[in-house]
Amino acid sequence: MSVVKSRSETEALLKKNKVYYENCPGCKVDYRKDTQTGIPYKEFFFVWIVVLGTALPISSLFPFLYFMIRDFHIAKRVEDIGYYAGYVGSAYMFGRALTSYFWGVFADRYGRKPVIVFGTMIVLIFNTLFGLSTNFWMAISMRFLLGCLNGLLGPIKAYAIEVCRHDHQALALSLISTAWGVGLVIGPALGGFLAQPAEKYPNLFPQGSLFARFPYLLPCLCISAFSAIVLVVCCWLPETLHKHAGSNEESYGNDEKDIMQDTDGTGSDSNESLFKNWPLMSSIIVYCVFSLHDMAYTEIFSLWAVSPKQYGGLSFTTENVGEILSISGFGLLLFQLTIYPTVERILGHLTVSRISAVLAILLLSCYPSIAQLSGLSLTIVLNCASILKNVFSLSIITGLFILQNNAVSQHQRGAANGISMTGMSLFKAFGPAGGGALFSWGQSRRNASFLPGSEMVFVVLNMVEVVGLLMTFKPFLALPQQRG
């Protein structure tokens, strides 16, 4: 099938100094973007569902991790459960940190789609095996391998930028943030509702059944089933990487042999070192700081919610946590699809990120007081706080996504996002471990005179957020030049 359908279209596009190769998938996507100015709803849906599928298992374990570690009988004291929970929570991120750059380079060389398909398969396999874990070391191993072998998050960000026109890129990355945020709250919601089903739903899952023997398999199995659906959807993903084979004479418009297109039209140097690109590296570093904060918060929130009141917690069940996170996910989805695009267009993505960071600091300062509430007032306030915290976090991350991807051109986006994922994964790996240790330390000093228990925990979280906020200003953060 010919890519250019008429000579008039060919001439119009040649005026833009563009050449299209008939058998190049990237050229086909570029041609569609140049001839169809509307929002690519189908491609955006594919991106959204792929990101959701890979985000669901990342934090789905947090509501039941406390009980899983308890059932492994590896912690000698109740206060030590947080330490071991942190190690399991960190294993995924350590694994991802080791291989993210490799997957980004692979995607730049061989295409985005192979990495996306393989990563989805890995979620299906190793998330199921994690649900079948019978001891602490098996649980850590499965999470580590899941992180190592699933490298699609960096390439999918590059993909989202490349599959749409420039004026839709903010929406594309906002959709990624939305899917990611929804996954990070719906995943724990599934974990909260579906963990230990033989205890919660004995009529459906009687004692002696598979799910009684493996009480944490059901949420993992449901997420893996969704990944199987995503794997089928991946068949319709168009590749965006340019794969020019042959000389200029094989391209459309070969009468204009002196016209050769940079794949992005940016004219950037293909040998430019990403590590010398300060707009890219500074935005990645800021992103890493906020990622550390978000992962530590996710770990601490779930541990804080399910721990006993005498230890400063809320004495919630996994089902209670699941309800809160479900409501948060729905609120986050509404915000990102309705309010965020308008606010971002008026204020700009960086200003939105800064305002969100300030509001998040003020919100977290109120968390220790929330523990003093009870009954309906506790439920209402905690749900509102959880929605707002997730909204602020995703607004920050979306702005940083845009900065990173505008700092490089297409042939480097996979590697650039791989570097970003490596740094972010390292910081997020310390998030659960540090958060678990911080939480356990807070519980051990709940009778201290200065910032006892959870007060110290949330003060430390706020200190990290303040550091990230300060780094969004000059001279540290450099804004990228506009890229194609």
Side-chain angles (χ1 to χ4, degrees):
M1 179 182 293
S2 176
V3 179
V4 179
K5 297 181 179 180
S6 71
R7 183 168 182 80
S8 61
E9 288 178 333
T10 303
E11 292 173 352
L13 292 170
L14 282 172
K15 289 179 181 178
K16 299 180 180 180
N17 291 345
K18 290 193 175 182
V19 175
Y20 296 87
Y21 288 78
E22 183 174 10
N23 296 318
C24 173
C27 285
K28 292 181 180 180
V29 171
D30 279 355
Y31 177 76
R32 177 188 58 74
K33 291 190 294 184
D34 286 329
T35 56
Q36 300 176 19
T37 58
I39 297 174
Y41 290 104
K42 182 178 70 174
E43 287 78 10
F44 278 0
F45 171 74
F46 291 158
V47 168
W48 198 89
I49 198 171
V50 167
V51 175
L52 179 62
T54 200
L56 284 173
I58 291 179
S59 56
S60 61
L61 73 164
F62 289 133
F64 62 76
L65 187 56
Y66 184 93
F67 304 101
M68 184 183 235
I69 298 299
R70 181 199 63 188
D71 293 347
F72 288 154
H73 304 294
I74 192 169
K76 296 180 179 179
R77 302 181 304 160
V78 172
E79 292 91 335
D80 294 335
I81 290 178
Y83 287 107
Y84 292 97
Y87 294 141
V88 176
S90 297
Y92 174 90
M93 293 300 169
F94 272 122
R96 194 166 72 179
L98 293 177
T99 59
S100 289
Y101 181 70
F102 162 78
W103 287 117
V105 172
F106 186 95
D108 280 343
R109 180 170 298 180
Y110 299 105
R112 319 305 190 200
K113 186 173 179 177
V115 178
I116 293 170
V117 171
F118 183 76
T120 304
M121 290 177 58
I122 291 302
V123 171
L124 194 159
I125 295 169
F126 286 96
N127 189 60
T128 303
L129 292 175
F130 174 73
L132 293 169
S133 297
T134 55
N135 59 65
F136 176 72
W137 295 109
M138 180 180 177
I140 279 189
S141 299
M142 293 304 101
R143 292 291 293 182
F144 178 78
L145 290 172
L146 177 61
C148 267
L149 300 176
N150 177 17
L152 70 80
L153 185 57
I156 198 69
K157 292 178 186 176
Y159 183 90
I161 284 285
E162 295 158 4
V163 82
C164 66
R165 295 168 61 86
H166 185 272
D167 49 351
H168 298 142
Q169 288 180 1
L171 176 59
L173 291 176
S174 176
L175 285 173
I176 286 186
S177 298
T178 303
W180 187 252
V182 169
L184 292 184
V185 292
I186 295 299
L190 290 173
F193 282 119
L194 301 180
Q196 302 168 313
E199 296 180 15
K200 297 175 182 175
Y201 320 109
N203 293 333
L204 295 175
F205 306 97
Q207 294 297 325
S209 65
L210 175 67
F211 296 109
R213 182 182 176 189
F214 299 101
Y216 311 105
L217 173 61
L218 184 59
C220 297
L221 201 59
C222 289
I223 292 172
S224 296
F226 182 76
S227 295
I229 297 173
V230 175
L231 193 59
V232 175
V233 171
C234 286
C235 296
W236 286 276
L237 285 174
E239 178 60 68
T240 59
L241 189 67
H242 286 267
K243 298 180 179 180
H244 297 159
S247 64
N248 230 21
E249 284 76 13
E250 297 179 9
S251 65
Y252 289 101
N254 55 16
D255 55 325
E256 301 285 344
K257 294 179 183 179
D258 59 325
I259 299 174
M260 282 299 289
Q261 176 198 8
D262 182 317
T263 54
D264 277 296
T266 60
S268 60
D269 182 2
S270 61
N271 296 318
E272 177 187 2
S273 172
L274 291 175
F275 294 99
K276 294 180 180 179
N277 184 338
W278 184 243
L280 171 67
M281 298 309 297
S282 61
S283 61
I284 287 177
I285 294 171
V286 178
Y287 173 51
C288 288
V289 172
F290 282 113
S291 296
L292 169 66
H293 174 274
D294 290 345
M295 201 65 182
Y297 167 81
T298 302
E299 171 90 359
I300 287 170
F301 178 82
S302 295
L303 292 174
W304 175 60
V306 301
S307 62
K309 274 190 172 293
Q310 61 264 34
Y311 289 97
L314 304 179
S315 293
F316 278 15
T317 65
T318 58
E319 188 173 3
N320 296 143
V321 177
E323 290 172 355
I324 292 171
L325 295 176
S326 296
I327 295 172
S328 298
F330 181 72
L332 181 65
L333 179 61
L334 287 179
F335 171 80
Q336 287 289 104
L337 294 181
T338 58
I339 301 175
Y340 179 81
T342 302
V343 174
E344 188 273 338
R345 188 165 54 250
I346 296 172
L347 299 178
H349 47 266
L350 185 56
T351 301
V352 172
S353 295
R354 289 168 176 164
I355 293 174
S356 298
V358 172
L359 294 176
I361 292 169
L362 297 175
L363 178 64
L364 273 183
S365 301
C366 302
Y367 267 54
S369 301
I370 294 177
Q372 307 302 318
L373 303 175
S374 61
L376 182 61
S377 59
L378 172 61
T379 302
I380 294 174
V381 172
L382 192 60
N383 274 293
C384 292
S386 182
I387 292 173
L388 289 173
K389 180 63 178 71
N390 283 287
V391 162
F392 296 151
S393 295
L394 265 296
S395 297
I396 295 168
I397 295 301
T398 300
L400 295 173
F401 280 172
I402 295 173
L403 288 177
Q404 290 172 31
N405 282 277
N406 283 344
V408 294
S409 48
Q410 189 197 40
H411 67 280
Q412 293 181 313
R413 281 197 182 116
N417 280 287
I419 295 173
S420 175
M421 288 300 100
T422 298
M424 180 267 281
S425 298
L426 281 173
F427 276 69
K428 280 197 170 185
F430 288 109
L438 176 63
F439 181 77
S440 293
W441 177 58
Q443 286 195 329
S444 67
R445 61 183 305 280
R446 58 188 181 276
N447 296 319
S449 58
F450 177 71
L451 296 176
S454 61
E455 291 186 22
M456 176 61 77
V457 171
F458 290 110
V459 165
V460 174
L461 279 179
N462 262 342
M463 290 170 63
V464 177
E465 190 90 340
V466 169
V467 171
L469 173 61
L470 294 177
M471 292 172 71
T472 64
F473 292 92
K474 294 180 179 180
F476 185 84
L477 184 65
L479 298 181
Q481 294 180 351
Q482 192 65 53
R483 298 276 181 168

